[in-house]
Amino acid sequence: MSEHCEPTAPARPFALLTVTTRPESTENVVGLSFHTGPTAHGTSAPEIACHTYEEQAPILTLHQGSTHVSITSAAPQRVEATDVRFAKELVTCALRYYQAIDQAHRTRDKTAHAHR
């Protein structure tokens, strides 16, 4: 595990959009990342929601401030097996993220408690 210095003040949440152009490629690479943390005046924590409907595919949303992401199937009236596989992979990866972030938090708390 790598070691990093702890910041003196808690980092505020933010969203970051990057666009990268490579000379060897004709396509741009667009990245959107959400960074969580304690909220302060004027900042907002990321929020996630799943909107379900009786006659169309659900919509998963993630937003922070004025940055917004929506995930749904390409054909909202007709959900395909590929949509189900993607949703399963999304859940699997989100669960791994949760487990890793929870473990990192517990390890940090144990280390902080041991140094008191």
Side-chain angles (χ1 to χ4, degrees):
M1 185 179 288
S2 63
E3 293 183 31
H4 297 282
C5 296
E6 290 290 322
T8 55
R12 294 184 311 196
F14 66 95
L16 177 67
L17 176 68
T18 59
V19 179
T20 306
T21 302
R22 292 193 163 75
E24 68 276 4
S25 176
T26 58
E27 296 180 7
N28 292 334
V29 176
V30 177
L32 177 61
S33 57
F34 289 87
H35 299 264
T36 60
T39 59
H41 181 69
T43 63
S44 61
E47 295 178 19
I48 190 164
C50 181
H51 307 278
T52 58
Y53 308 95
E54 288 187 26
E55 297 186 19
Q56 75 174 47
I59 301 172
L60 180 66
T61 62
L62 177 63
H63 68 93
Q64 183 172 9
S66 61
T67 306
H68 184 89
V69 174
S70 295
I71 301 172
T72 192
S73 65
Q77 304 302 325
R78 194 182 73 234
V79 175
E80 301 289 339
T82 55
D83 299 311
V84 175
R85 282 192 296 274
F86 174 76
K88 184 177 179 181
E89 187 175 341
L90 183 66
V91 167
T92 301
C93 290
L95 179 58
R96 279 200 323 249
Y97 175 77
Y98 162 74
Q99 291 168 335
I101 206 87
D102 184 56
Q103 182 61 41
H105 183 257
R106 287 189 220 199
T107 300
R108 188 201 67 165
D109 282 353
K110 286 179 186 177
T111 303
H113 184 65
H115 286 97
R116 291 182 188 172

